[in-house]
Amino acid sequence: MLIQFLAAVGVLAVLTVVPGPDMAVVTKRAVSSGWQDGLRTVGGITAGLLVWGVLAVAGLAAVLAASATAYTVVKLVGAAYLVFLGFQALLQSRRGRSQAPAATLTPSRGNPWRTGLVSNVFNPKIAVFYTGLLPALAPTGLSAHSGMALLVLVHAMLTAVWLGGYVMLLSRARSFFEQPAVRRGMDRVTGTVLIGFGLKVATTQP
């Protein structure tokens, strides 16, 4: 059982560090509004994982993954939200907000915790991941529900630690990211990446 659990943790760790929409959302928040907002966004993302975990354990995520209509609705809402965040970042760079001094920077609009939560809850791939992969990774010494619940908690914790550490690394390089040209470039890059992820989510299949 222990070996199975450690192997599952290894798989989850690899999947956690692969760059995706979550990292792009966190980057946008941390660079534009500071590490505090970055960590709040991480908290929202982690809460989103726990929401999907509860749904997966309850069996509701499997229903979503099996329903083409439900999957498409959630997919399109999530894709639209990512594209919205991307355009917001691009507009921010064009308005010149990136050139403002650090002490007078205006935080990005919207609650950062809610931004992280919404971007994650409307990512149907998490439902597919939790219902398709977690049951296979769950230790055999536990019941199916207990094993999945344990792995959901592990995944949420790994995500919080990884993205939280990433935010703090960004904050250590604060003087670099506060340079007007760098901030403008980061807004454009993260905006483009978010739009790209949104289009990718919109066109992917279960």
Side-chain angles (χ1 to χ4, degrees):
M1 174 180 168
L2 179 60
I3 294 178
Q4 282 184 311
F5 175 70
L6 293 177
V9 171
V11 172
L12 292 174
V14 171
L15 293 174
T16 299
V17 301
V18 174
D22 289 345
M23 182 170 284
V25 171
V26 167
T27 301
K28 176 182 178 295
R29 271 291 178 173
V31 170
S32 64
S33 303
W35 65 269
Q36 295 95 334
D37 268 15
L39 291 182
R40 293 186 186 102
T41 306
V42 173
I45 290 171
T46 304
L49 291 177
L50 294 177
V51 169
W52 278 119
V54 171
L55 294 177
V57 172
L60 298 178
V63 174
L64 173 63
S67 171
T69 301
Y71 181 90
T72 300
V73 170
V74 174
K75 176 181 72 173
L76 293 179
V77 172
Y81 188 65
L82 290 175
V83 171
F84 166 75
L85 292 177
F87 275 115
Q88 188 180 61
L90 292 178
L91 288 174
Q92 178 174 301
S93 70
R94 294 190 63 182
R95 289 171 184 159
R97 287 176 57 186
S98 301
Q99 301 177 16
T104 60
L105 282 176
T106 303
S108 296
R109 294 180 179 178
N111 183 290
W113 189 89
R114 185 173 60 245
T115 297
L117 177 68
V118 172
S119 67
N120 205 281
V121 165
F122 284 101
N123 182 359
K125 284 299 182 182
I126 302 296
V128 176
F129 168 60
Y130 276 5
T131 59
L133 182 61
L134 286 194
L137 294 176
T140 55
L142 300 173
S143 67
H145 285 179
S146 297
M148 286 183 62
L150 175 62
L151 293 184
V152 167
L153 291 175
V154 170
H155 185 222
M157 183 171 61
L158 289 173
T159 299
V161 171
W162 169 250
L163 292 179
Y166 173 66
V167 168
M168 298 315 294
L169 283 176
L170 289 177
S171 72
R172 293 289 295 271
R174 180 179 178 182
S175 59
F176 172 75
F177 287 110
E178 284 176 351
Q179 297 178 48
V182 174
R183 291 182 62 85
R184 186 165 57 250
M186 285 297 299
D187 282 337
R188 291 173 179 171
V189 170
T190 55
T192 302
V193 169
L194 284 167
I195 292 172
F197 276 126
L199 296 177
K200 181 178 179 181
V201 169
T203 56
T204 52
Q205 299 300 319

